[in-house]
Amino acid sequence: KTFNFTFTVGVTESPSPESSVRIWALDSGGNNPDPKVMYDTFPNEIVHSYRQLSTDGSLEESALGLAYFHIPLPEYAGLNPVNGHNGLFEAALMGGKVPFPFNYEPFTSLVRWLGKDRVVGSSKLNSGLFTAMKETGNILATFCGHDHHSDAVFQRNGIYLCYGRVNSSCFQRARHLLILLIFRYLGIHRRSTGKGLVVTWLSKEARAS
C-alpha cells in the first residue's frame, strides 16, 4: 500500500493565506533489496505531481507548506543541527557497524573532524524532491522519522529539515492521526515566515506503568 496526498489546515471556514497551512503527506517507500541502494525513494511521478500541483494554481493559497514522510531525504546529511542532535553515527559506532579502521582512534576523531559523522539513513538514490521543493518555494519545513537515534532540526537552502520523532509510528498506526503531527514537532524552535509563525516543541506523554 502507498499514500501520497495533500490538504489544507486552517482556523477559518475557508482557506486563507494568512492562517492556513498546506500539508503534504508523501510515501518515501521502504527497504530496498539492493544493499547499494538501501532504501526506496519517491517515484518520479510523485515528484512531478508535486511540482505540477505547486505551480498550476489548482491548490488553495496557504501561508506555508509542511511535508511529512518516513525516510529522510539525502539532503539531511552533512549538516550541523540548528537544534538537537544527529546520533546515527554514534549509534552505528556503538553497534559495531562502522567499518575498520574508522571504528578505532584516531580515525574515529578524524571522521568527526571532517564532518563525515553527519550521516542519515536515506536512500542512495536522489529523487530530486528536495530540488523541487527548493525551486517551487512553497515548503517551509519537512518532517521525517526512520533514524531513531537522531533528534534534530537542520536547515538547507531556507528549508528546515526536521526529525518528527513520532511521525513514523503514527503513519503506520492510523493515517487519520496525521493532523496530530502538527502539534508534535521536535525541539523548541520559532520561525517567522512573513505570512505566519511556526512554533515547534517537544511534548511528553504519560504512560501507565
Side-chain angles (χ1 to χ4, degrees):
K1 295 182 179 180
T2 186
F3 59 89
N4 292 283
F5 52 90
T6 183
F7 57 90
T8 300
V9 179
V11 296
T12 56
E13 183 175 351
S14 300
S16 166
E18 287 75 32
S19 61
S20 299
V21 176
R22 162 78 38 192
I23 302 295
W24 298 83
L26 305 172
D27 190 349
S28 55
N31 294 332
N32 191 290
D34 186 346
K36 295 181 180 180
V37 176
M38 294 184 65
Y39 306 106
D40 295 328
T41 189
F42 304 95
N44 291 334
E45 57 267 25
I46 297 304
V47 179
H48 174 75
S49 295
Y50 163 74
R51 279 186 178 274
Q52 184 174 12
L53 287 171
S54 297
T55 57
D56 66 5
S58 60
L59 299 178
E60 305 94 340
E61 186 178 0
S62 63
L64 51 91
L66 305 176
Y68 293 85
F69 39 83
H70 178 60
I71 298 175
L73 298 166
E75 285 80 5
Y76 273 63
L79 299 174
N80 282 318
V82 174
N83 195 4
H85 173 67
N86 183 345
L88 189 58
F89 177 77
E90 298 301 325
L93 190 64
M94 294 295 293
K97 295 183 179 180
V98 175
F100 179 84
F102 302 107
N103 54 340
Y104 288 97
E105 293 292 358
F107 300 103
T108 302
S109 294
L110 179 63
V111 169
R112 296 192 181 101
W113 183 72
L114 293 173
K116 299 300 182 180
D117 59 325
R118 303 168 194 164
V119 294
V120 299
S122 63
S123 175
K124 300 303 181 183
L125 301 175
N126 195 318
S127 65
L129 180 61
F130 179 82
T131 299
M133 291 178 175
K134 180 180 67 173
E135 291 176 353
T136 57
N138 63 347
I139 298 294
L140 173 67
T142 67
F143 295 85
C144 71
H146 192 252
D147 295 347
H148 297 185
H149 298 277
S150 294
D151 229 2
V153 177
F154 311 99
Q155 188 185 45
R156 187 185 291 275
N157 297 120
I159 300 176
Y160 284 87
L161 306 173
C162 315
Y163 282 103
R165 276 203 159 189
V166 299
N167 61 352
S168 59
S169 58
C170 279
F171 276 138
Q172 294 168 359
R173 291 171 186 167
R175 293 179 188 176
H176 70 268
L177 291 178
L178 171 65
I179 191 61
L180 297 180
L181 303 180
I182 302 172
F183 307 102
R184 302 286 295 279
Y185 293 164
L186 163 71
I188 302 175
H189 186 69
R190 290 175 177 265
R191 164 67 173 168
S192 175
T193 66
K195 293 184 177 180
L197 180 72
V198 173
V199 179
T200 69
W201 68 90
L202 174 62
S203 62
K204 294 184 178 180
E205 294 182 355
R207 294 189 178 182
S209 57

